[in-house]
Amino acid sequence: MSNDKIGLTLKIWRQPCSHSKGKFETFHVNNISSDMSFLEMLDVLNEHLTLGGKQPVAFDHDCREGICGMCGAVVNGQAHGPEKGTTLCQLHMRHFRNGDTLVIEPFRARAFKVERDLVVNRSPLDKIIQAGGYVSVNTGGAPDGNGVPVAQDTAEQAMDAAACIGCGACVAACPNGSAMLFVGAKVSQLVLLPQGYPERAGRALNMVAEMDELGFGNCGNERECEAVCPKSISIRNIARLNREFFKAALFG
Amino acid sequence: MGTLSKIILSSIGKKSIMAVSGIMLGLFLLVHALGNCTTFFGREAFNSYASHLHSLGCLILFFEVGLVVIFLTHIVLGCMTWWQNKRARPHSYEVYRSSGGRTMGSKTMPYTGIIILFFLFVHLQNFHFTDHSREISAIVKGVLIQPFYAIFYSIAMLALALHISHGFWSMLQSLGINHPKYNSIMQRGTLSLCVVMVAVFVLIPALTLLWPGFLL
Ligand code: HEM
Ligand code: FES
């Protein structure tokens, strides 16, 4: 199967800029190696477009190894495509069959403006992070290696939450356009560790307020977010965010 | 806006109040279902249960007013979240495909909610705002022996089943209750509760329609 070549029909969202009206455009690509990643397939398309004097399809990407969170589009109705726990850059063309039609759309939410084609502005997620404020870090001499004990299990949970790369697929996949998995992960990674613990009340309240302010929807516990998350982050983090919010609202 | 109203109207605030009102509505359903089980023990058991209930007087009024307030809270917040969630994605996807998170119940929450509300009006019209000179078993039988009503009641109860099949689990998550140790039992427990309660509610119209000896 390693040097299979496939041909595909691509229906891609084209939109010149954020305030123009977009539409779908259909392309055909042939001789796509099944070893290619999805983004490499788009590179091939873009080479053809450029050689033909046409505008290439704009899409975000950076590391192309699934760790930076820049890439992302909705492929046939699923954020980052059909593979579980995989970013678009790590999705390989062997998961598609010769002759398939792929509909490729940008992540859609009121808070995410389409800048061009598949590129959306995800800076609202950064605004939520900003609203979260600071963490206190003691200066001075280096602390003792094991001076602050953190249980292994707690460290694991913080690490699982910190795996979030902020790609925004949770928002894109949520039927309600909610950012709760993102905020849940960010609040969790800090509240579980001594470094973020003291500021936890303000952080939970402010991040949720900012998230609502920016026009993200209300979580309906539909669980689509954890199903598409390339880092498989659990909605347990949303439950933890809910608890943090109640504690902060009632006693914080 | 004051701090309190800001917190209540925040996304998590609204969902937690929906969850608490949902628990209360669920408790009401449970008591209602238990009470309705008396129909399975015959006409006399049912009538005596009803007359005992009515003899509570003031207490009944208190619970009725409470229920109306709880329903209104639940419905108003439900409509608010529905409206806001629609606005959160003004441009919908050309192709949408679930990645496996949603269920029939979670997909249809607002719609099943509206069906329950509509059912509620018909239900109250049938049994509450009616001539109470006859005994209650005769009133119930008079309505549910009509195929139209028996089928309508059954369909409405299936909508309720869908609503609470997601709702009972969802309210636990909304209240922050999620732990790998208990998730499986919580999911199975809430679903079983939903099935048992709805079975009681569907059995009554079904038995009335199909078994002439029921409530005689
Ligand atoms: C006996 C009747 C009812 C019961 C037991 C019930 C129970 C529940 C529960 C437990 C939830 C989950 C709350 C959460 O996740 O926090 C829920 C959600 C919901 N309910 Fe009800 N409900 C009832 C009637 C209604 C009615 C009459 C309506 C509307 C007309 C309604 C509309 C909704 C909506 C829209 C949601 C979803 C909210 C969201 O996910 O954002 N419900 N219900
Ligand atoms: S490009 Fe970095 S995660 Fe895909």
Side-chain angles (χ1 to χ4, degrees):
Chain A
M1 287 274 290
S2 63
N3 46 14
D4 271 0
K5 301 277 189 200
I6 59 172
L8 298 165
T9 303
L10 307 174
K11 263 185 85 183
I12 304 182
W13 183 257
R14 300 307 300 269
Q15 184 173 334
C17 64
S18 58
H19 39 266
S20 56
K21 255 188 82 162
K23 64 172 187 337
F24 280 95
E25 205 173 319
T26 305
F27 304 98
H28 298 280
V29 283
N30 288 311
N31 271 328
I32 297 295
S33 158
S34 58
D35 290 338
M36 277 184 187
S37 75
F38 199 88
L39 299 190
E40 284 168 333
M41 182 275 292
L42 288 180
D43 290 338
V44 171
L45 170 69
N46 279 345
E47 270 173 29
H48 284 296
L49 288 177
T50 314
L51 287 176
K54 293 206 202 103
Q55 278 290 339
V57 175
F59 62 90
D60 258 331
H61 62 113
D62 191 8
C63 71
R64 297 211 176 191
E65 54 185 15
I67 56 169
C68 76
M70 269 313 273
C71 65
V74 171
V75 180
N76 283 349
Q78 288 177 293
H80 289 303
E83 273 294 291
K84 275 215 187 307
T86 312
T87 53
L88 197 61
C89 59
Q90 289 289 295
L91 173 66
H92 284 84
M93 296 313 291
R94 57 178 164 270
H95 298 296
F96 300 99
R97 264 195 293 259
N98 190 29
D100 277 358
T101 297
L102 307 184
V103 179
I104 309 171
E105 303 174 70
F107 284 175
R108 294 207 185 275
R110 181 154 69 109
F112 290 171
K113 230 174 31 206
V114 175
E115 295 292 351
R116 179 180 195 136
D117 300 341
L118 303 176
V119 177
V120 295
N121 184 345
R122 284 165 292 180
S123 60
L125 296 184
D126 301 329
K127 292 206 182 110
I128 298 176
I129 296 286
Q130 278 165 12
Y134 57 88
V135 294
S136 306
V137 179
N138 292 335
T139 54
D144 226 20
N146 291 315
V148 185
V150 177
Q152 178 61 23
D153 176 53
T154 313
E156 291 286 352
Q157 287 181 46
M159 193 55 215
D160 286 349
C164 170
I165 54 178
C167 64
C170 45
V171 178
C174 175
N176 308 319
S178 163
M180 285 283 276
L181 191 63
F182 172 78
V183 181
K186 299 304 174 191
V187 161
S188 292
Q189 84 184 39
L190 292 175
V191 80
L192 287 165
L193 296 180
Q195 288 84 351
Y197 194 76
E199 301 85 8
R200 67 192 186 287
R203 184 184 308 119
L205 292 178
N206 294 336
M207 286 178 93
V208 170
E210 185 69 17
M211 167 180 81
D212 293 348
E213 181 74 17
L214 290 165
F216 291 102
N218 306 276
C219 176
N221 301 326
E222 302 251 23
R223 285 183 277 193
E224 287 293 322
C225 53
E226 86 179 345
V228 299
C229 176
K231 300 296 147 186
S232 303
I233 291 174
S234 161
I235 58 163
R236 192 181 174 191
N237 292 292
I238 296 183
R240 187 180 292 107
L241 168 63
N242 289 340
R243 294 198 299 274
E244 285 305 313
F245 184 85
F246 300 143
K247 273 187 262 177
L250 294 172
F251 314 111
Chain B
M1 257 196 305
T3 327
L4 189 65
S5 54
K6 241 192 228 154
I7 282 172
I8 289 175
L9 291 177
S10 70
S11 52
I12 298 183
K14 285 196 298 280
K15 280 305 304 256
S16 58
I17 294 174
M18 289 213 66
V20 171
S21 57
I23 294 180
M24 292 177 174
L25 292 176
L27 282 176
F28 156 72
L29 277 186
L30 189 65
V31 173
H32 197 0
L34 283 175
N36 283 2
C37 282
T38 55
T39 54
F40 305 141
F41 299 99
R43 185 177 67 98
E44 244 135 61
F46 183 47
N47 285 336
S48 105
Y49 157 69
S51 65
H52 272 97
L53 201 63
H54 284 237
S55 67
L56 293 178
C58 260
L59 217 55
I60 281 287
L61 190 69
F62 174 77
F63 276 106
E64 279 174 354
V65 173
L67 260 178
V68 170
V69 172
I70 293 164
F71 260 111
L72 283 179
T73 310
H74 190 80
I75 292 165
V76 168
L77 289 177
C79 291
M80 267 175 87
T81 53
W82 188 24
W83 164 247
Q84 288 171 345
N85 292 349
K86 279 217 162 313
R87 286 203 351 134
R89 176 164 300 122
H91 197 304
S92 51
Y93 290 110
E94 173 83 2
V95 177
Y96 173 80
R97 200 182 155 152
S98 164
S99 296
R102 328 180 71 178
T103 59
M104 273 281 274
S106 76
K107 258 184 250 186
T108 51
M109 288 307 267
Y111 313 108
T112 50
I114 288 167
I115 296 175
I116 298 167
L117 183 62
F118 177 68
F119 164 79
L120 218 59
F121 286 123
V122 176
H123 185 51
L124 288 178
Q125 181 69 40
N126 286 156
F127 298 135
H128 192 81
F129 301 108
T130 185
D131 168 23
H132 276 277
S133 56
R134 294 174 299 159
E135 53 185 9
I136 189 75
S137 59
I139 300 177
V140 169
K141 210 160 171 175
V143 171
L144 293 182
I145 202 136
Q146 305 170 52
F148 172 81
Y149 277 109
I151 291 168
F152 171 72
Y153 269 60
S154 304
I155 291 174
M157 288 308 104
L158 292 183
L160 176 69
L162 273 180
H163 196 83
I164 59 180
S165 72
H166 175 67
F168 281 176
W169 167 79
S170 173
M171 72 193 174
L172 296 176
Q173 167 76 11
S174 293
L175 293 176
I177 305 170
N178 178 320
H179 194 287
K181 260 188 206 162
Y182 311 113
N183 280 348
S184 138
I185 179 102
M186 279 177 356
Q187 231 151 64
R188 275 182 287 175
T190 51
L191 201 62
S192 313
L193 189 63
C194 158
V195 168
V196 170
M197 275 181 355
V198 170
V200 171
F201 287 129
V202 173
L203 258 178
I204 294 170
L207 283 177
T208 317
L209 191 66
L210 302 175
W211 177 31
F214 187 60
L215 279 183
L216 221 61

